Amino acid sequence: MKEKATSFDIAYLAGVSQSTVSRALRNSPQVNKETRDKVQAIARQLNYKVDKNASNLRKQRSSTLALLLFEDPTTDESLINPFFLSMLGSITRACAQRGQDLLVSFQQLSDDWHADYEDTKKADGIILLGYGDYEDYEEKLDKLLAQETHFVCWGADVEGHPDFTIRSNNRQGGRLAGEHLLSLGHQHFAFIGNASAGSPEFNQRFLGFSDALQQAGIRHDAIAQFNAISTEQAGQLAVQNLLDSGKAVDAIFCASDLIAIGVMQGIQQRGLQVPDDIAVMGFDDIPVASYTTPPLSTIQQDTSLAGEMLVENLLRLVNNQPIETNQIEPKIVIRTSCGTASKG
């Protein structure tokens, strides 16, 4: 019986070193595409399978990443923010493509992330999604930094380590929303979502929105702002408070699509129409946004690219490689919730 093929056999046939074969089979960017393709083709011909256990023992690695998900509190703990569900799918695919297993855990901001995962060798690094109140979360990040844990997070900056964060350009996204609403002739604006240090992503969206309006001569303090976490119920309550306040409003920019969906429900419950009476703009472009009534105009965050970048950048940190890109540019998705014609 023919002996099982080894990486040395592949190296001989490909005319490269055994270490190059190992890198090529891991899709390492250190090996050019032509060589990677050649090595992988030979490996398939020989029906070669990587012995993950032996490889991990040599590297003192688990070939496993951990994904820790933190969410704002809701009345139904079985519900997951659809934006994070999309991100979870893209992270899972990115891990599979790189030969990594993925542990997924829902967290309550426990004190021992590092002890639970990398320090016990369950995972080589950690991906963090969501954070509740960022001022509380930031203390946990300091512990990870002190322990020299490999981690990346989605959203707000890590103090002193901006390369550890993959983010959307939230301020530009807010600016796009403001410019679109202005182009449709709206004049009285509101922002619904927390705009404070505890919610830095939402705050950046608000600042970008304010930038666009100020360029059109609308003062920052003329924008009605009502707090809401990223749930439909919070959006519904916030818009009820806005309408009860008596403030004039014909366009609302919401910090997330879930908030926007609740806002539209709240407006309609008052016998008003979206967008005829009040335009509504969201942020995220979750799958359900195109199925609301009316379909929701929004700012899109590319979750497929985000998942790829989170996994790629974490593996770069694990392998002591520099991070090249950590920001995603948002795009506007125009549907019908903001109206289509200028009010003149």
Side-chain angles (χ1 to χ4, degrees):
M1 182 180 291
K2 191 177 188 302
E3 290 185 2
K4 187 168 65 173
T6 70
S7 59
F8 291 98
D9 296 327
I10 299 171
Y12 174 76
L13 292 172
V16 298
S17 68
Q18 189 272 340
S19 59
T20 297
V21 169
S22 296
R23 293 191 188 97
L25 294 177
R26 296 199 307 270
N27 284 316
S28 169
Q30 293 176 302
V31 181
N32 66 56
K33 185 178 186 304
E34 182 181 356
T35 301
R36 284 203 312 269
D37 291 346
K38 182 179 180 181
V39 167
Q40 291 171 9
I42 293 170
R44 286 193 295 272
Q45 290 169 9
L46 298 180
N47 197 29
Y48 175 79
K49 302 292 183 185
V50 175
D51 186 339
K52 288 182 70 175
N53 290 331
S55 175
N56 291 339
L57 281 173
R58 287 193 298 272
K59 296 181 295 180
Q60 289 295 297
R61 301 269 176 82
S62 65
S63 289
T64 299
L65 303 180
L67 170 62
L68 309 190
L69 178 60
F70 306 87
E71 284 212 280
D72 287 320
T74 62
T75 54
D76 185 348
E77 292 186 354
S78 68
L79 297 177
I80 302 173
N81 186 324
F83 176 75
F84 290 136
L85 279 179
S86 296
M87 192 84 85
L88 174 59
S90 64
I91 290 170
T92 302
R93 284 189 292 273
C95 283
Q97 289 164 1
R98 291 162 175 80
Q100 300 289 311
D101 293 326
L102 183 68
L103 292 173
V104 180
S105 179
F106 292 84
Q107 297 291 312
Q108 297 296 321
L109 293 178
S110 70
D111 290 330
D112 296 313
W113 297 341
H114 48 84
D116 289 345
Y117 292 93
E118 189 171 354
D119 287 1
T120 58
K121 305 301 181 185
K122 288 182 184 176
D124 300 323
I126 301 173
I127 297 171
L128 306 173
L129 285 184
Y131 44 75
D133 188 317
Y134 186 73
E135 291 178 316
D136 293 335
Y137 174 81
E138 199 168 19
E139 295 178 13
K140 314 299 182 183
L141 297 184
D142 289 340
K143 288 189 176 182
L144 292 180
L145 290 170
Q147 292 287 326
E148 298 184 349
T149 300
H150 297 112
F151 75 95
V152 292
C153 56
W154 170 260
D157 283 338
V158 178
E159 183 72 27
H161 296 274
D163 53 334
F164 288 10
T165 301
I166 289 80
R167 73 182 72 78
S168 178
N169 188 340
N170 288 292
R171 192 156 188 159
Q172 175 61 12
R175 192 175 292 114
L176 290 173
E179 290 171 351
H180 179 61
L181 291 170
L182 285 165
S183 75
L184 297 174
H186 298 295
Q187 298 178 340
H188 305 288
F189 301 91
F191 176 85
I192 294 184
N194 297 341
S196 67
S199 301
E201 291 177 272
F202 284 10
N203 192 44
Q204 285 294 305
R205 294 168 195 178
F206 174 65
L207 292 175
F209 184 56
S210 179
D211 290 343
L213 299 190
Q214 287 189 64
Q215 286 186 349
I218 298 170
R219 297 191 323 274
H220 179 90
D221 58 10
I223 306 169
Q225 189 270 319
F226 285 77
N227 286 339
I229 62 172
S230 193
T231 67
E232 292 178 35
Q233 293 87 348
Q236 199 168 349
L237 177 61
V239 78
Q240 289 170 356
N241 292 336
L242 169 59
L243 296 174
D244 288 343
S245 74
K247 295 179 183 292
V249 61
D250 61 7
I252 301 173
F253 174 41
C254 302
S256 75
D257 286 349
L258 284 180
I259 293 173
I261 291 168
V263 165
M264 289 199 294
Q265 292 169 348
I267 290 170
Q268 291 160 353
Q269 287 172 359
R270 293 295 183 95
L272 301 172
Q273 298 298 314
V274 177
D276 295 345
D277 297 308
I278 302 176
V280 177
M281 185 94 184
F283 200 109
D284 285 335
D285 196 29
I286 60 176
V288 75
S290 60
Y291 298 105
T292 57
T293 304
L296 180 64
S297 292
T298 187
I299 303 300
Q300 182 188 81
Q301 302 192 87
D302 188 337
T303 54
S304 294
L305 179 57
E308 285 277 337
M309 289 174 63
L310 283 163
V311 173
E312 179 64 27
N313 286 9
L314 179 54
L315 290 175
R316 283 182 169 275
L317 290 175
V318 169
N319 292 309
N320 297 312
Q321 297 172 341
I323 289 174
E324 298 172 354
T325 306
N326 68 341
Q327 182 163 280
I328 296 171
E329 293 303 317
K331 299 177 182 177
I332 189 166
V333 178
I334 299 173
R335 298 189 177 103
T336 57
S337 65
C338 297
T340 56
S342 173
K343 295 187 173 187

